[in-house]
Amino acid sequence: MMIVPIFFTCFLLLSSSHASVQDFCVADFTAPEGPAGYSCKKPATVTVDDFVFSGLGIAGNTTNIIKAAVTPAFAAQFPGVNGLGISLARLDLAVDGVIPFHTHPGASEVLVVVEGTICAGFVASDNTAYLQTLEQGDSMVFPQGLLHFQVNGGDTPALAFVSFSSASPGLQILDFALFKNNLPTALIAQTTFLDVAQIKKLKGVLGGTN
Amino acid sequence: MMIVPIFFTCFLLLSSSHASVQDFCVADFTAPEGPAGYSCKKPATVTVDDFVFSGLGIAGNTTNIIKAAVTPAFAAQFPGVNGLGISLARLDLAVDGVIPFHTHPGASEVLVVVEGTICAGFVASDNTAYLQTLEQGDSMVFPQGLLHFQVNGGDTPALAFVSFSSASPGLQILDFALFKNNLPTALIAQTTFLDVAQIKKLKGVLGGTN
Amino acid sequence: MMIVPIFFTCFLLLSSSHASVQDFCVADFTAPEGPAGYSCKKPATVTVDDFVFSGLGIAGNTTNIIKAAVTPAFAAQFPGVNGLGISLARLDLAVDGVIPFHTHPGASEVLVVVEGTICAGFVASDNTAYLQTLEQGDSMVFPQGLLHFQVNGGDTPALAFVSFSSASPGLQILDFALFKNNLPTALIAQTTFLDVAQIKKLKGVLGGTN
Amino acid sequence: MMIVPIFFTCFLLLSSSHASVQDFCVADFTAPEGPAGYSCKKPATVTVDDFVFSGLGIAGNTTNIIKAAVTPAFAAQFPGVNGLGISLARLDLAVDGVIPFHTHPGASEVLVVVEGTICAGFVASDNTAYLQTLEQGDSMVFPQGLLHFQVNGGDTPALAFVSFSSASPGLQILDFALFKNNLPTALIAQTTFLDVAQIKKLKGVLGGTN
Amino acid sequence: MMIVPIFFTCFLLLSSSHASVQDFCVADFTAPEGPAGYSCKKPATVTVDDFVFSGLGIAGNTTNIIKAAVTPAFAAQFPGVNGLGISLARLDLAVDGVIPFHTHPGASEVLVVVEGTICAGFVASDNTAYLQTLEQGDSMVFPQGLLHFQVNGGDTPALAFVSFSSASPGLQILDFALFKNNLPTALIAQTTFLDVAQIKKLKGVLGGTN
Amino acid sequence: MMIVPIFFTCFLLLSSSHASVQDFCVADFTAPEGPAGYSCKKPATVTVDDFVFSGLGIAGNTTNIIKAAVTPAFAAQFPGVNGLGISLARLDLAVDGVIPFHTHPGASEVLVVVEGTICAGFVASDNTAYLQTLEQGDSMVFPQGLLHFQVNGGDTPALAFVSFSSASPGLQILDFALFKNNLPTALIAQTTFLDVAQIKKLKGVLGGTN
């Protein structure tokens, strides 16, 4: 009976396009990175482990000054999302925990509250603030590039999962950008209108110099 | 003292760009839709409620044949995500629940398990199947357009949140596409190699005609 | 007369942008691939042969079970289309030939009938089937990621050219994805509602295991 | 037996995402156009005719000065391709027919020869010309925005189908752009280095003024 | 002589694609806006004035607290750039003038100094600050979404033109986002670590409430 | 005091995403180029000099036949713009200087006049010419891929800065594309309708062969 060999011919024909399939582009961290993301691992070396990330099941350590932790599952941690325009992170907020004002330069974000209560907000380009208290199961979207924050709004720990419209959304934390580097204090004062004493105080906390 | 009026001048200048800000494009379901999504609501009518969606906090009804439910928060349900390249859904899987083979024609998906155990998998263009049992906190990515499924892999209900790299990812369920419409049985047989009896049986269950 | 040397100066100036020209990015299969496609050959090594593909002039072998053949001219076969968002394929359908239900995860497709009659169709996300009998010169579009098929609708061989909105559109054939790998039969039954006997029968034909 | 009504519940749930499906965006020529294309027809009014175009089956009229005809199937003629990043055209070249130098500002092009012989070429930014004589079944790619041409290279009529990486690729014919409008002759001379007599001669043929 | 009428036939054929040309999409501010920009004016109503903007020839008024002015030529002011992925602005910096820390959520920026000296800088996601003193003719790029500033670095007025990789880049000024709205002082303190006195002082200057 | 070490924990967590930050992708000219641009330099080797370009402060040499010069700051010259969708150039036009008809295959362009008067224009796909005399401070946009030119419109030298919606916009100069290579004269005549004598004359000036 000829069916199997005949089909095999068909398979050969069709699979000749195999090498060109870009179903996915699992990140190869040893090859060059480009504007669209990491280079792709050879398909033959890809396994299901590349598409699965277990790090979000572990609570971040919130015994720090912000009583909060962000655990990213971006392309750098989760190679299977490379090139697919999506990534994740886990937010842990202890009581009084705060994810301070920050932006993601390359992505919009959606947040889902899994435990507790989170007060979240963002500020639009016209300076309008959009604030909401989110209960378990509520979700909120933070449009790309806008300043936003999340604060534990209850008296129990809060947990949220966030996702991003990029495999490498970036994360710029306002206080770190201003006070955790060597930007001269006078220049910060000139470009933020903050008082020199205030700047020096926060540089002291965060380790900024100059 | 001149500071406030002088700054006001500056504000006027800068805010002259206000009308052009496309920080976001909250869906206006009454205006035309285009290839990039829904038209935008006038900024003056946007409120924080447009950016918040509460429907994912409610368990879907799983007393159905698949013992599972998908609750979408796509642009059609969650107008704030319109144009931002991201959306969400909630998956509820009762014991033995199944989200049968399906694709999202316009998006990649990432899933995070919040409760229970989920066996998930996708098939690549070269017919390789990538399968994994996911525990609470595990995440998995399903690349754009590929057939995939999720099955409750434990003996308690399972809950997951999924996010997509598009505000309107689409959802094509294989069984519905084949057996829940008026595609002639003979044509389905010819294009799937399934037996006519099998096709008729599933059309009977799903309500397909012809 | 000074015209030529003076112009030469101008040429030098303008041609200093030569190295940055990305008129095209002919695929270099020896360098890493990224999410946007293959790396580019050095411009100095590019020839017109990179932009010309002769494989579509040869009829595919249709002496197989589907009595049909697909000959791709994707970036993997046709390096000149790399990065340009377009590619081609040739469809040969003998009498009774069938291109069974399949999707292209990364591209929309347009088909033009060159010889014979083709019955084609796709199913939308709302399960509506769009079917048409296409005569010579007719064209039809199959939107990205949706299940579709082509069947010879006449009693002579049919020939069509198809083009795609991606240099690497991918090709997922439904029967191959389900029955031509090691997906366990019980899992396929659970996620497709097909009978175990039906699954085993098609695995037998297509070479699936488990 | 409860299977059908229970499944119906599931169907209702899933189909609540129906309105958001952007499987396709068939052009509605009566609504506003945007940068991404035409507005979409309401899904309920879409039929299979929107996805099928029959105009490419009819030979263009080549009894003109170029002995050639281009029949477009762009979004303006073929509403189903709107928003899908692909479109088509038919080229008819009588003996000695010429599609003169032109560009597509918004798309790359691939051509397949269906009948006859075509001499085609394009010029890259570094002024290298890539020329090839194409026989039946040969295909060639013309990268986006570059000047290119097609000439009947045999002594029988030639037919080709071309496809584009945009639903609205545009078409700028060099001679028409220069000589078929009201650009002043002196300005054309200054910006092309052509002789005034040459410009006037071609304006005369093509109907340019000034 | 038949040349003109024959060519006219050709013209009719080719110009049948006229309505679909998306060479440009001049903003129609009276029609709905979508995620990709404003709707397009009907081609018949477009004039050269839509593609020309004269507002950047006029110095902005710098007699304000920042001694600086930004004059935008975004799609809202310059309808011809709508949909083209580019826009402009003029920066005037009097002596001691400052464009304080700000971001463009939707675009990268390049700046060219036309008069005077400008000290400019941006901060990357890893908190590294990139600072440079720019003289006349120097240009600098500020990657999308990152905090950056410009300060007059000399003792004469400075003038720069900036361009953006979007027709609607947005502009979020840090001080305005924090202190020029109704964000509660306690919430700002919690999410910025600034002292309450500092916040109240800047709210007083900028007109913030709560 | 525990604040600094505790914060350090937080910093470590957050900075674990450092390697994935794609704030920018400074061109590494030694690694492969892809469809989206050059590979990225390792972040540790990036300095502020990568983001600054000084070449636009120097007047181009206009003692040539076109009495004009174009100085590009594309990704090939200005590595910091790689992947950011923007680039620049400087135009110098001596009295009677001309930038002859050309296109940018991959970008739209905006021009700002800094000194003198420039007569500029472009031709749309429907052959309409849009012309304007631009004074100092005026800006004009040239949509992607369309033929356009700039001519000194006054009796003093003119200077303009132009920016592009791509880091590698390309530049195809009409006369060079036609007359500065080895395209056979007969073929040019056939595809442009220019007289053979005219073609030979311009080939003589520009160095074309055949």
Side-chain angles (χ1 to χ4, degrees), chain E residues 60-171:
Chain E
N61 181 354
T62 60
T63 56
N64 52 39
I65 200 176
I66 59 170
K67 298 178 180 164
V70 178
T71 308
F74 299 168
Q77 293 85 31
F78 188 0
V81 299
N82 184 50
L84 297 182
I86 196 150
S87 61
L88 292 170
R90 172 190 176 117
L91 303 188
D92 289 282
L93 292 147
V95 175
D96 296 330
V98 176
I99 309 289
F101 263 113
H102 63 283
T103 61
H104 304 287
S108 292
E109 170 184 341
V110 285
L111 173 151
V112 184
V113 179
V114 172
E115 289 172 17
T117 299
I118 290 177
C119 169
F122 70 87
V123 183
S125 287
D126 67 352
N127 307 315
T128 303
Y130 294 91
L131 307 182
Q132 188 86 336
T133 299
L134 306 168
E135 307 293 342
Q136 191 181 333
D138 288 348
S139 50
M140 183 167 180
V141 60
F142 307 93
Q144 179 168 341
L146 298 179
L147 281 164
H148 61 288
F149 67 86
Q150 290 101 10
V151 174
N152 190 328
D155 36 22
T156 59
L159 169 64
F161 289 110
V162 293
S163 43
F164 300 94
S165 62
S166 165
S168 294
L171 169 58

Side-chain angles (χ1 to χ4, degrees), chain A residues 87 197 206:
Chain A
S87 61
L206 292 169

